[in-house]
Amino acid sequence: MPLQLTNEQLKQIAARFGSPVYVYHAERIKEQYENLLHAFAGTDTRFFYAAKALTNISVLKYILSIGCNIDCSSVNEARLAIHAGFTPSQILYTSNNIAFSEIAEAKELGISINIDSLSNLRKSGEAYGGTYPVGVRLRPNIMAGGNLKISTGHSNSKFGVALEDLESILQVQKETGLHIRTLHIHTGSEIKDVEVFAKGIEVLLDLVPHFPSLEVIDLGGGMKVPYHPGETGTDITDLGRKVKEEFEKYEHKTGRHLQVWFEPGKYIVAEAGYFITTVNVIKQSGDKTFAGVNSGLNHLIRPMFYGAYHEIENISNPNGTVHTYQVVGNICETDNFAEDRPLPEVRENDLLVFRNAGAYCFEMSSHYNSRFKPPEVLVKEGQPILIRKGDQLGDLLHNQTQA
Ligand SMILES: *Cc1c(COP(=O)(O)O)cnc(C)c1O
């Protein structure tokens, strides 16, 4: 059984720090990272945690302490990574649709960069030639991922340089002497099927002969974790086996050794997170029973943004008679966390816990409706540590100047 926090621990945290509150379980993060190391043993693979899933600086420091590298989606994330103590060689920046000036800033930081447009590739070539190795993010024309907002590799996607533009990439390489070290793809999030990754490997390995300075194949992130009870995630053991097989075969055939990079976000932190809310109001409306909690899309937008499912537990009344509820927030929009969800009888003041709240949850929170963002707590060696205070009114006024 994977590591979990107990209902008792969660209740104590809510009693001490209040609710709503985000809770992260450090050892569970480590367990997930070690699962990856184990599954990819015997391969030359490096893992870069996709920081955009959860960027709290204490979490980043913890991720550094367990030996994982970091993938950033903005130059600010790269600066946070440096602030957390990562060295430039541990930092990767996979950009999309950024100004060349941001690539120049990343280069100043000395970090690895994956570039996702022809125009920035050419500008990089003209500026750096062979002096600074870069990666090219390709759009592999693979349709994959949990829903359209998180599918990034299909043929109408905004991400990456189209495979059809290979000739233009080669032209940049030839004309500017650009040092292309990495070919990168990230086809989407919540990819269960190992065959999707296998297809990506096939597409990229086919291109290797065009790139004499290539050293790295970067397969992005997107490993799926179970959200529904009974659901299974990506079989990473199978994925590790596939990578070992394909890259050994390739090396044997061509004599070229390639390192493999992955950028898992969700896989590393999703299941380590819990979001604890309190029920404000039980309300009957039409034929529905509403459980209105002291939170909303301002704190956890995944269900409203892309229909994500989060398991919800009533830790105050786990053995109550099961009824069906609309679990909703307090924001002035229809912010349903869950529809027609069977839960043990929910009463006012009960604690409802959202599971899998580590990835893209606090990180996507906002001050909408002028409500405060929740505090964050990291549980490490059994001890809860406050790693972000809840907001106060001054936080809403911060940066506002007098008209
Ligand atoms: C978001 C993102 C990831 C992480 O995706 P997960 O589904 O969280 O694993 C990895 N690489 C890139 C380029 C991304 O944009």
Side-chain angles (χ1 to χ4, degrees):
M1 268 301 276
L3 290 171
Q4 288 191 19
L5 298 179
T6 63
N7 287 355
E8 214 39 56
Q9 279 175 299
L10 295 171
K11 279 190 208 166
Q12 282 171 11
I13 288 168
R16 182 164 154 201
F17 299 99
S19 119
V21 59
Y22 274 102
V23 185
Y24 312 120
H25 186 187
E27 284 79 15
R28 181 63 194 273
I29 293 175
K30 182 161 169 231
E31 184 175 44
Q32 291 294 105
Y33 179 57
E34 286 176 350
N35 286 345
L36 289 173
L37 294 184
H38 188 71
F40 286 78
T43 69
D44 185 8
T45 303
R46 288 178 76 194
F47 296 99
F48 293 76
Y49 162 61
K52 75 174 187 288
L54 178 62
T55 56
N56 184 292
I57 209 77
S58 300
V59 172
L60 299 188
K61 283 182 177 168
Y62 183 75
I63 287 192
L64 173 66
S65 79
I66 60 177
C68 190
N69 307 289
I70 190 163
D71 176 48
C72 302
S73 50
S74 71
V75 75
N76 286 346
E77 280 185 3
R79 293 200 174 97
L80 288 178
I82 288 168
H83 182 74
F86 288 87
T87 59
S89 69
Q90 295 171 304
I91 305 174
L92 170 63
Y93 176 19
T94 302
S95 60
N96 85 85
N97 298 305
I98 59 170
F100 178 71
S101 57
E102 208 173 310
I103 292 175
E105 289 176 62
K107 190 237 172 204
E108 280 310 300
L109 297 176
I111 63 180
S112 301
I113 313 166
N114 289 330
I115 295 171
D116 100 317
S117 69
L118 271 179
S119 65
N120 277 332
L121 211 56
R122 178 163 289 280
K123 286 176 192 166
S124 303
E126 282 161 3
Y128 313 132
T131 66
Y132 200 76
V134 299
V136 184
R137 177 175 189 166
L138 293 165
R139 196 201 66 204
N141 301 340
I142 298 173
M143 185 64 193
N147 64 63
L148 206 53
K149 282 203 178 67
I150 56 175
S151 293
T152 52
H154 58 88
S155 53
N156 287 321
S157 162
K158 72 161 186 166
F159 297 95
V161 182
L163 279 185
E164 294 78 5
D165 288 330
L166 177 65
E167 278 314 315
S168 308
I169 299 172
L170 296 179
Q171 219 172 342
V172 170
Q173 181 177 246
K174 191 163 148 223
E175 287 170 18
T176 67
L178 182 64
H179 180 167
I180 296 178
R181 182 178 61 180
T182 305
L183 290 182
H184 169 280
I185 52 170
H186 170 70
T187 43
S189 195
E190 302 190 5
I191 303 168
K192 180 170 179 307
D193 191 357
V194 169
E195 280 312 305
V196 172
F197 290 98
K199 178 78 190 150
I201 294 172
E202 185 191 317
V203 168
L204 292 183
L205 287 182
D206 271 352
L207 300 176
V208 175
H210 297 291
F211 298 94
S213 50
L214 203 76
E215 293 167 34
V216 178
I217 295 289
D218 181 343
L219 296 166
M223 288 94 155
K224 180 171 171 50
V225 296
Y227 277 82
H228 288 79
E231 198 181 27
T232 51
T234 311
D235 183 343
I236 57 157
T237 307
D238 194 29
L239 181 57
R241 200 181 303 127
K242 190 86 202 164
V243 164
K244 188 165 158 61
E245 203 177 280
E246 291 303 322
F247 283 82
E248 276 179 0
K249 199 162 71 185
Y250 189 81
E251 186 164 344
H252 189 73
K253 199 171 75 186
T254 63
R256 269 186 96 166
H257 177 75
L258 295 162
Q259 192 170 64
V260 180
W261 290 4
F262 277 101
E263 304 156 355
K266 243 173 221 174
Y267 185 82
I268 293 186
V269 295
E271 293 161 290
Y274 302 76
F275 182 47
I276 311 176
T277 63
T278 303
V279 178
N280 283 340
V281 171
I282 298 288
K283 187 188 282 186
Q284 205 67 40
S285 182
D287 53 4
K288 305 282 186 191
T289 307
F290 288 81
V293 299
N294 62 349
S295 180
L297 60 77
N298 53 325
H299 295 158
L300 200 173
I301 201 174
R302 298 185 72 252
M304 307 83 180
F305 187 36
Y306 36 54
Y309 178 97
H310 283 267
E311 186 66 358
I312 301 173
E313 286 175 33
N314 182 355
I315 62 169
S316 302
N317 190 24
N319 301 315
T321 312
V322 172
H323 298 286
T324 303
Y325 295 92
Q326 307 292 101
V327 181
V328 297
N330 56 10
I331 290 299
C332 297
E333 310 266 341
T334 298
D335 55 349
N336 289 355
F337 287 113
E339 306 209 26
D340 299 324
R341 182 73 62 92
L343 287 170
E345 186 186 359
V346 180
R347 306 156 307 184
E348 293 187 355
N349 298 317
D350 278 357
L351 296 175
L352 295 190
V353 176
F354 292 75
R355 302 296 297 263
N356 278 22
Y360 308 106
C361 291
F362 181 90
E363 207 54 35
M364 288 190 180
S365 66
S366 74
H367 283 138
Y368 187 46
N369 278 201
S370 294
R371 291 198 174 274
F372 298 150
K373 290 190 182 191
E376 295 176 285
V377 169
L378 181 68
V379 178
K380 208 166 139 185
E381 294 165 9
Q383 296 304 317
I385 310 155
L386 185 66
I387 56 172
R388 181 194 299 268
K389 294 192 258 183
D391 288 332
Q392 298 182 325
L393 199 63
D395 295 305
L396 302 182
L397 294 166
H398 184 65
N399 279 340
Q400 297 197 48
T401 50
Q402 292 284 341

